[in-house]
Amino acid sequence: KIVGACRKAGTKFTDTEVPVTTKPTKCLYKCRLFPSDDAPAPSMWKRSSEISERPQMFVDGVQAGDIQQGELG
């Protein structure tokens, strides 16, 4: 439903529950190895399509070690 609405409108989805542009420090992953309450906010956010012409989460399928709770392998 969301994909269809975005395609029809010619826009990309923006998750309002993850405010990366208005409150970037609320969206940061806290590293369990180096916990810090004052992690710096990134200087910019990019969509995967801005980094690669054909972004892929997993290549040649998903392997057991690719996903770990709280992080990607």
Side-chain angles (χ1 to χ4, degrees):
K1 199 174 188 180
I2 293 171
V3 172
C6 287
R7 284 185 180 156
K8 186 176 180 180
T11 60
K12 295 190 179 216
F13 176 72
T14 299
D15 190 340
T16 57
E17 293 184 26
V18 182
V20 296
T21 56
T22 56
K23 296 180 183 176
T25 57
K26 298 287 185 190
C27 305
L28 293 176
Y29 170 74
K30 299 290 185 175
C31 179
R32 61 187 159 88
L33 300 176
F34 305 102
S36 173
D37 288 333
D38 58 350
S43 60
M44 71 175 68
W45 291 83
K46 290 191 174 197
R47 293 178 181 271
S48 57
S49 60
E50 294 175 303
I51 298 169
S52 173
E53 287 184 26
R54 294 189 58 212
Q56 297 179 20
M57 176 85 66
F58 302 103
V59 179
D60 298 327
V62 179
Q63 304 298 317
D66 288 341
I67 302 174
Q68 300 171 15
Q69 185 170 339
E71 57 189 73
L72 292 175

